[in-house]
Amino acid sequence: MVQTLAYLKETPSQTAGPYVHIGCTPNFSGISGIFETDLGSGPLANEQARGERITIRGFVYDGLGSPLKDALVEIWQADADGLYNSPAETRGRADPNFFGWGRQPGDMQTGEFVFHTVKPGRTPFRPNDPRLMAPHILFWIVARGINIGLQTRMYFSDEEAANAEDPVLARIEHRQRVRTLIGAREGETVRFDIHLQGENETVFFDM
Amino acid sequence: MKTAPPETGAFFARDRIWHPPALTPGYKTSVLRSPQKALISLEGTTTELTGPVFGHNMLGPTDNDLIVNYARPGEMAIGQRILVHGRVLDERGRGVPGVLVEFWQANAGGRYRHKKETYLAAIDPNFGGVGRTITDDEGGYWFKTIQPGAYPWPNGVNDWRPAHIHFSVFGHGFAQRLITQMYFEGDPMIARCPIVRTIPDPQAIEQLIAPLDWNATVPMDMRAYKFDIVLRGRRSTLFENRKEGN
């Protein structure tokens, strides 16, 4: 008899549902008094953090172009020097005044999400591959009707040279789709809309 | 927290046939919220290999006790008292210590405490429906709650969700990030549910059903259900010296 492989299967995903806010942003959903604040709801950087302050604003649109009003968006990014605030960061210690992770619901009336953060520095592609990626922020979207969290990235419109040599963007065969990952820089604001479906469908990753 | 060196190996690829696909028309909202183009596949980069860490100092003393964490002093939520416990493991069967687990649910009557919820079942004034904890050195977690009720939802004409608890789990890298739902052993509602049935493989559905755990039941206090959560495994860094080929 051949030996048995003892791997477990990953727990299958299920939708976060329409009441994801009860669990992830209870104060926002009107349940106050259990948690002092909603996790990830504040700015990612405190006043001492290094780097350029930016505000990211956007909507998540469905296949008919209607903004979702019940989505939950999380972001994960490196600090201004390109270091991640994570035990798995082996290149040095990240800025202690920058957490790197944030979580925001869309506005209940409009659906707009807003993050206050700093522009990330460039990070190496892999621990064993020093090619630099362009500055980017990982976005993760869950909502009613989304069976498994959708993962994408926001790059910056003012980083054309870095974007041109980014090894992840280089993987996108249909070059006209790259624009769906570029956040539009307008002063301190970066606009980044996510289209779940259709003509302008955002590139989503399996990584 | 153990002080083992951080793991930097790549995560196992997700089995996207095991997970529900994006488009599952029986669950109507998925029709307009599912990407129609293929995902771009790439083994994770430093961005997905890393992830946030949450400290125990953010937890309050009743964060994992839904029976009392929204109740007025001296009062408790109404419903069947249960202990939900288990381990967060990776696909290699190892515990995943020090990770945040969040959970939320309806009350005993199937009513959520949410502005947009209009189901006629009563709100329990002593039940909020949210909790969180951080896994111990072996990946273990537990919380006390009341067993949620089934609730109706506007999908088909007469669709009801089985009793369920929503889970949100972080891992050691953002690639492990997962949201799922736990169901209860023996519930005849499970097989009828369009959201459960977004999962194509019956064996994968079984992985979301928590068995009654008689041994963990506290006599004269609360019954127990065991729910283990498996996150993506990762390769040993010994095998990580391969350069990206094009």
Side-chain angles (χ1 to χ4, degrees):
Chain A
M1 268 297 275
V2 67
Q3 293 185 16
T4 308
L5 274 173
Y7 292 114
L8 302 173
K9 291 298 289 186
E10 188 187 10
T11 297
S13 174
Q14 290 269 262
T15 180
Y19 306 124
V20 60
H21 308 107
I22 293 175
C24 294
T25 55
N27 291 286
F28 170 82
S29 79
I31 302 173
S32 55
I34 300 183
F35 305 150
E36 200 171 309
T37 58
D38 288 338
L39 199 63
S41 60
L44 278 72
N46 70 22
E47 285 169 12
Q48 285 80 48
R50 296 187 294 273
E52 186 185 358
R53 300 303 190 270
I54 56 170
T55 299
I56 303 168
R57 295 179 167 273
F59 296 87
V60 182
Y61 293 104
D62 71 12
L64 285 178
S66 299
L68 271 60
K69 292 171 184 172
D70 53 11
L72 185 80
V73 181
E74 292 186 2
I75 61 172
W76 171 243
Q77 63 168 101
D79 69 11
D81 301 317
L83 291 168
Y84 289 98
N85 194 339
S86 167
E89 175 59 82
T90 54
R91 292 167 299 131
R93 186 153 175 261
D95 185 342
N97 296 300
F98 181 72
F99 191 54
W101 175 83
R103 170 190 276 173
Q104 291 290 338
D107 180 277
M108 279 194 192
Q109 269 67 50
T110 67
E112 188 177 42
F113 61 82
V114 182
F115 289 96
H116 299 286
T117 183
V118 299
K119 186 174 176 181
R122 299 184 71 176
T123 52
F125 185 37
R126 300 236 167 85
N128 57 3
D129 185 335
R131 282 185 293 164
L132 290 177
M133 294 187 281
H136 68 278
I137 294 175
L138 183 157
F139 274 68
W140 191 72
I141 302 105
V142 292
R144 175 172 65 102
I146 296 176
N147 290 324
I148 181 164
L150 293 167
Q151 192 185 310
T152 185
R153 286 181 170 206
M154 184 189 87
Y155 288 82
F156 292 81
S157 59
D158 57 344
E159 288 285 348
E160 280 185 34
N163 292 345
E165 58 184 33
D166 181 86
V168 173
L169 293 179
R171 279 299 190 87
I172 299 170
E173 179 188 357
H174 298 91
R175 301 310 294 164
Q176 68 273 34
R177 299 196 66 205
V178 172
R179 66 178 172 79
T180 69
L181 303 185
I182 311 295
R185 192 74 200 257
E186 301 159 5
E188 287 178 12
T189 303
V190 187
R191 289 226 62 100
F192 183 59
D193 291 335
I194 293 158
H195 298 266
L196 298 180
Q197 189 185 89
E199 198 184 344
N200 298 312
E201 189 175 301
T202 299
V203 169
F204 297 107
F205 292 97
D206 184 11
M207 282 179 148
Chain B
M1 277 295 297
K2 285 179 180 157
T3 50
E7 287 194 88
T8 55
F11 287 98
F12 301 169
R14 259 199 170 123
D15 180 353
R16 297 249 173 199
I17 293 171
W18 185 252
H19 286 285
L23 176 61
T24 50
Y27 175 22
K28 293 182 180 179
T29 311
S30 75
V31 174
L32 284 174
R33 296 185 174 192
S34 45
Q36 292 166 330
K37 296 175 175 67
L39 301 178
I40 303 290
S41 297
L42 189 63
E43 198 169 76
T45 73
T46 49
T47 311
E48 295 77 28
L49 294 175
T50 54
V53 170
F54 301 93
H56 284 83
N57 58 356
M58 79 174 205
L59 298 178
T62 58
D63 279 9
N64 66 337
D65 186 345
L66 281 65
I67 298 173
V68 301
N69 73 9
Y70 195 75
R72 291 175 289 230
E75 298 187 15
M76 284 188 284
I78 288 183
Q80 299 189 318
R81 299 164 57 84
I82 57 170
L83 168 73
V84 177
H85 77 102
R87 291 177 72 207
V88 177
L89 306 162
D90 70 8
E91 287 168 288
R92 287 161 74 180
R94 304 172 307 172
V96 187
V99 296
L100 179 69
V101 182
E102 299 162 288
F103 22 88
W104 66 99
Q105 61 171 90
N107 70 16
R111 174 70 190 261
Y112 282 95
R113 183 179 284 278
H114 193 279
K115 289 171 183 169
K116 291 185 177 176
E117 166 63 287
T118 55
Y119 179 36
L120 53 78
I123 284 273
D124 179 342
N126 290 310
F127 187 75
V130 52
R132 62 188 179 187
T133 188
I134 290 175
T135 58
D136 66 21
D137 284 351
E138 277 72 50
Y141 78 90
W142 62 268
F143 61 99
K144 289 186 199 181
T145 188
I146 52 97
Q147 191 157 358
Y151 88 101
W153 60 302
N155 182 64
V157 171
N158 188 21
D159 278 341
W160 293 73
R161 297 301 326 280
H164 64 281
I165 299 176
H166 295 265
F167 279 75
S168 161
V169 191
F170 288 80
H172 290 168
F174 208 91
Q176 292 177 306
R177 188 77 179 88
L178 182 73
I179 281 184
T180 189
Q181 298 180 33
M182 175 194 121
Y183 305 101
F184 291 84
E185 181 184 20
D187 186 345
M189 311 279 293
I190 296 171
R192 295 173 174 268
C193 175
I195 288 179
V196 172
R197 291 168 71 162
T198 61
I199 299 171
D201 189 328
Q203 280 187 291
I205 292 173
E206 299 268 328
Q207 201 173 343
L208 299 183
I209 303 174
L212 179 69
D213 182 353
W214 206 256
N215 289 340
T217 287
V218 183
M220 304 303 290
D221 181 350
M222 54 186 173
R223 290 172 308 126
Y225 283 89
K226 183 194 73 97
F227 187 58
D228 288 343
I229 298 161
V230 181
L231 304 180
R232 293 167 70 176
R234 65 197 313 175
R235 291 202 303 270
S236 161
T237 43
L238 295 173
F239 310 124
E240 291 300 307
N241 55 5
R242 187 175 50 88
K243 283 279 194 288
E244 174 74 9
N246 283 318

